[in-house]
Amino acid sequence: MNPGVTPEIREVMEAVHYRPAVSIIMPFEPKMSLKTELTQSLKTASDKVEQELLENYSGEMSSLVMQKLRAIIKGLNFNTHKKSIAIYVSPVFEKVLYLDLAVEEKIIVDESFEIRDLVYSKKQLHKYLVLLLSRKESRMYLGNSNTFVRIVSTTPESVYAYVNEVPERVANFSDTSERKEIIMEKFLHYIDNALDIILNAYHLPLFVLGTKRILGHFKSITKHKGAVIEYVHGNYEEATLPDLKEILEPHISDWREVKQKDLLNQLEEAAGKKKLAVGMRDVWREAMSHKGRLLLVEKNYMYAAQQGSNKDIIYKVTEPYNKFSYIKDAVDDVMEKVLENGGDVEFVDTDVLKDYHHIALVLYY
């Protein structure tokens, strides 16, 4: 199961679809706000739900859902240190999630719980990889918002480990500068090969640090150009962990841009390996076949569809449509299917995926 989909979120995803399904996502920081203010916000949200229920559902059904919602609100934990809550309630299901992230209030009354909002609710950690290259050695780190952790490789990280691998005809050369160049190139090839394992284990943005000369060599031989978000020039041979954090800060300050660039790099790599589905119909077909590893979708993209002759086929909806095979938003259904099968979902800004028809799926195989 994808680590971004907690057991609690999965429970909401797998809840039986039963109208009316009420989703309330809102800020909730009892340690930072007066209880009276939070209580008033909850009452206002509850009143909005009740009004919509009375306008669209029978009095008996509305009354049942409102009784459950009021009981949930009455039992909320005002001692939590979280930042927000998500309340889900229907005639046959109820759940409260306490979340670690700031949210804007959103109230939805529909036929099912909004999987799109569950994905939005995932806590976004600023994780990335750092490859530090110097004339003596290489070092690899896993970085996040707070710490750096050294990743130890089975490949020798010192350039001196490759001195004896230089061909004899070169070893006997009097031109030491040429010999150093060959040793450096051999060293960088080994480091680049070791990156295969690391990048397969961590699908994260990669920053490469080093002098212009070393980075020039690395750029000319690497097979992983698409994984590199940025090359940071400088002599960081003696850099400490606090130094590295300070050096990288301006390069990760706009994390959304970093993340989107990394995701687009992953799409290009998948396309090169013919492991990419593009456009709603192809994405739907592959997702229904349990092949989706990573779904990318523009945050406001929706797709009303008609079910085809089998579950793997959909068509963009046209009027009049068959209400028995009508899909209000096929994007939500695809997101749910990808998550259920252990894949991940990421939203990007509008038009970032315009060359991919607004939605793309990286495949497992």
Side-chain angles (χ1 to χ4, degrees):
M1 184 175 65
N2 188 284
V5 185
T6 66
E8 288 185 316
I9 289 179
R10 181 168 288 276
E11 186 180 351
V12 179
M13 286 170 51
E14 295 174 351
V16 175
H17 290 196
Y18 200 110
R19 289 187 176 189
V22 175
S23 306
I24 301 174
I25 299 175
M26 63 185 297
F28 188 76
E29 293 188 82
K31 298 301 180 184
M32 302 296 291
S33 306
L34 293 174
K35 185 174 181 178
T36 52
E37 293 178 354
L38 290 175
T39 301
Q40 183 58 44
S41 295
L42 289 162
K43 183 181 184 306
T44 301
S46 177
D47 290 344
K48 289 179 182 177
V49 170
E50 185 171 28
Q51 181 180 349
E52 187 161 348
L53 287 174
L54 291 173
E55 289 175 358
N56 297 289
Y57 297 91
S58 70
E60 182 180 353
M61 196 64 75
S62 299
S63 178
L64 173 60
V65 171
M66 286 308 302
Q67 285 178 19
K68 296 179 74 171
L69 178 58
R70 291 190 181 104
I72 288 172
I73 291 174
K74 186 177 180 180
L76 288 176
N77 177 15
F78 280 83
N79 293 316
T80 181
H81 290 270
K82 302 293 187 178
K83 297 179 180 179
S84 56
I85 55 171
I87 300 172
Y88 300 97
V89 59
S90 77
V92 297
F93 180 84
E94 57 192 76
K95 188 73 179 178
V96 179
L97 304 181
Y98 295 89
L99 307 171
D100 269 320
L101 70 164
V103 299
E104 294 183 4
E105 182 177 307
K106 191 163 189 179
I107 299 170
I108 303 161
V109 179
D110 206 339
E111 64 183 20
S112 63
F113 302 118
E114 288 288 332
I115 186 64
R116 186 182 294 263
D117 292 293
L118 292 177
V119 175
Y120 274 135
S121 297
K122 287 197 311 176
K123 186 177 181 181
Q124 297 296 321
L125 297 176
H126 294 189
K127 287 188 175 182
Y128 50 92
L129 295 168
V130 179
L131 174 60
L132 177 59
L133 297 173
S134 75
R135 57 190 177 85
K136 294 181 180 178
E137 63 177 350
S138 72
R139 300 200 299 271
M140 177 67 75
Y141 297 95
L142 174 63
N144 62 33
S145 303
N146 301 310
T147 61
F148 277 84
V149 177
R150 179 83 175 267
I151 299 175
V152 180
S153 173
T154 55
T155 301
E157 297 173 328
S158 170
V159 71
Y160 301 112
Y162 305 95
V163 171
N164 294 330
E165 295 194 18
V166 176
E168 184 178 349
R169 64 179 181 80
V170 178
N172 293 330
F173 245 29
S174 59
D175 189 343
T176 56
S177 63
E178 183 178 351
R179 185 169 184 271
K180 286 180 180 178
E181 291 292 312
I182 292 175
I183 292 171
M184 177 62 67
E185 189 168 321
K186 177 74 73 173
F187 165 62
L188 292 176
H189 271 294
Y190 274 100
I191 298 305
D192 192 55
N193 288 337
L195 268 179
D196 290 341
I197 299 172
I198 294 170
L199 291 173
N200 282 330
Y202 304 93
H203 296 285
L204 296 172
L206 173 64
F207 294 87
V208 184
L209 281 61
T211 63
K212 286 186 177 181
R213 176 175 170 273
I214 291 172
L215 294 189
H217 274 283
F218 183 76
K219 287 180 190 179
S220 69
I221 62 94
T222 183
K223 306 185 297 293
H224 303 291
K225 290 183 174 70
V228 180
I229 296 299
E230 191 172 352
Y231 292 94
V232 182
H233 295 103
N235 186 349
Y236 305 118
E237 204 169 282
E238 307 298 329
T240 63
L241 293 184
D243 291 338
L244 290 178
K245 185 174 176 62
E246 184 177 348
I247 290 162
L248 284 163
E249 183 59 37
H251 302 279
I252 64 170
S253 58
D254 188 345
W255 185 253
R256 176 181 291 181
E257 183 179 344
V258 170
K259 185 66 176 176
Q260 289 190 161
K261 184 174 181 181
D262 178 57
L263 292 170
L264 288 174
N265 286 347
Q266 290 188 49
L267 289 192
E268 290 178 11
E269 182 180 7
K273 295 178 178 178
K274 303 194 182 303
K275 293 183 178 180
L276 186 68
V278 173
M280 192 66 232
R281 290 178 63 179
D282 287 349
V283 166
W284 176 277
R285 184 185 65 251
E286 301 297 350
M288 294 304 128
S289 299
H290 315 293
K291 295 181 181 179
R293 179 178 71 77
L294 173 64
L295 176 70
L296 268 63
V297 58
E298 292 178 2
K299 59 186 179 182
N300 294 320
Y301 181 60
M302 301 180 74
Y303 190 98
Q306 197 82 45
Q307 184 73 60
S309 56
N310 63 59
K311 68 179 181 65
D312 297 335
I313 300 172
I314 59 170
Y315 304 97
K316 195 169 182 63
V317 75
T318 56
E319 298 286 353
Y321 57 82
N322 184 338
K323 66 179 181 179
F324 297 106
S325 59
Y326 172 65
I327 303 170
K328 181 179 179 181
D329 183 14
V331 177
D332 267 7
D333 287 23
V334 162
M335 287 192 287
E336 184 168 352
K337 184 61 67 174
V338 170
L339 290 169
E340 282 179 353
N341 289 294
D344 200 2
V345 178
E346 294 283 358
F347 286 107
V348 296
D349 291 338
T350 302
D351 286 338
V352 167
L353 299 177
K354 61 184 178 181
D355 294 336
Y356 299 90
H357 305 291
H358 311 292
I359 188 167
L361 182 67
V362 177
L363 308 180
Y364 280 118
Y365 53 89

